[in-house]
Amino acid sequence: MAVDPKSPSKAPDDARRRRLLEASLGVFTRFGYRKASMEEVARAADVSRQGLYLHFATKEELFRAAVEHALGTHLEAALAALTEVGRPLEARLVAALDERLGCYLGQMGGDASDLIETSGALTGTLLADHDARFEKALARAFTDSPLMAVYASAGLTAPQLARTLHATARGWKHTCTSREVFVEHITVAVRMLFAPLRRAR
């Protein structure tokens, strides 16, 4: 079997890139986009500025890659929680929403208020694309559950339930003071969603 000559160097490069992205996320969430510097990121990642610039030519490029890394990491964790075998759907929904949204609570520093605006300007449709993937996964989970037998009689579809629950969780993300409070609130929302199923039993 042929061996890819690039394989030996790929893993270290990937690990180094992940380390740079994780370090940059810490810097951006602490200082915000405008106040964060490539020098600070290099210091946090324990590399030289020249080493950082070998991977990312500009702060804009680094920021886009960091946001994509964060969104992708949390989305994959959310999808894994949503499809975990052996757990009730209610528990899976709470865990998935926590991995998708609750994980961000408490991470942003006082100087990072410009991150949302900057993220929208520099990352384009990235967030919307990840949201769409997550909602599709939620809808699949609803479709495969007894829940739809109850809600279909009211003319509601699985995508509608998915969008509504996701929007509810996004709202709590912006108002809850901690991740623990977010989980408490979203647990209530999920229980409300399942209440008709309990009555039907």
Side-chain angles (χ1 to χ4, degrees):
M1 183 173 68
V3 177
D4 183 355
K6 295 182 180 179
S7 295
S9 62
K10 190 175 189 301
D13 284 347
D14 287 349
R16 189 176 300 112
R17 180 180 173 86
R18 279 197 305 273
R19 188 173 76 247
L20 293 174
L21 292 174
E22 293 291 343
S24 69
L25 284 169
V27 172
F28 285 126
T29 55
R30 180 182 177 190
F31 297 107
Y33 179 77
R34 283 187 290 271
K35 292 184 179 180
S37 68
M38 296 291 273
E39 182 175 355
E40 187 66 38
V41 172
R43 188 180 303 115
D46 196 26
V47 298
S48 66
R49 284 180 59 186
Q50 291 79 7
L52 178 60
Y53 278 111
L54 283 174
H55 289 270
F56 303 99
T58 65
K59 186 167 79 168
E60 292 85 351
E61 180 185 337
L62 174 61
F63 182 76
R64 282 193 294 269
V67 171
E68 184 170 12
H69 173 71
L71 290 174
T73 298
H74 292 304
L75 176 60
E76 292 307 314
L79 297 181
L82 193 58
T83 57
E84 186 177 346
V85 176
R87 293 185 77 187
L89 179 57
E90 288 183 61
R92 287 186 279 128
L93 288 169
V94 171
L97 289 161
D98 179 43
E99 292 289 356
R100 178 78 180 119
L101 297 165
C103 59
Y104 294 108
L105 285 161
Q107 292 188 2
M108 198 173 294
D111 293 326
S113 58
D114 66 334
L115 281 183
I116 295 176
E117 177 186 349
T118 303
S119 180
L122 292 181
T123 61
T125 64
L126 189 62
L127 178 58
D129 294 342
H130 281 74
D131 281 346
R133 284 186 59 194
F134 182 60
E135 287 185 6
K136 283 182 181 178
L138 286 177
R140 281 196 300 272
F142 287 136
T143 299
D144 295 336
S145 79
L147 200 63
M148 287 317 301
V150 177
Y151 282 102
S153 63
L156 297 174
T157 66
Q160 288 173 329
L161 294 180
R163 283 194 299 271
T164 301
L165 184 60
H166 193 198
T168 300
R170 286 199 302 267
W172 284 127
K173 175 193 169 188
H174 293 297
T175 57
C176 289
T177 55
S178 70
R179 187 171 184 175
E180 291 74 21
V181 173
F182 173 86
V183 170
E184 289 176 10
H185 283 68
I186 205 59
T187 298
V188 172
V190 170
R191 286 177 180 169
M192 289 174 63
L193 185 66
F194 277 77
L197 187 61
R198 291 192 182 90
R199 286 199 298 271
R201 291 172 185 169

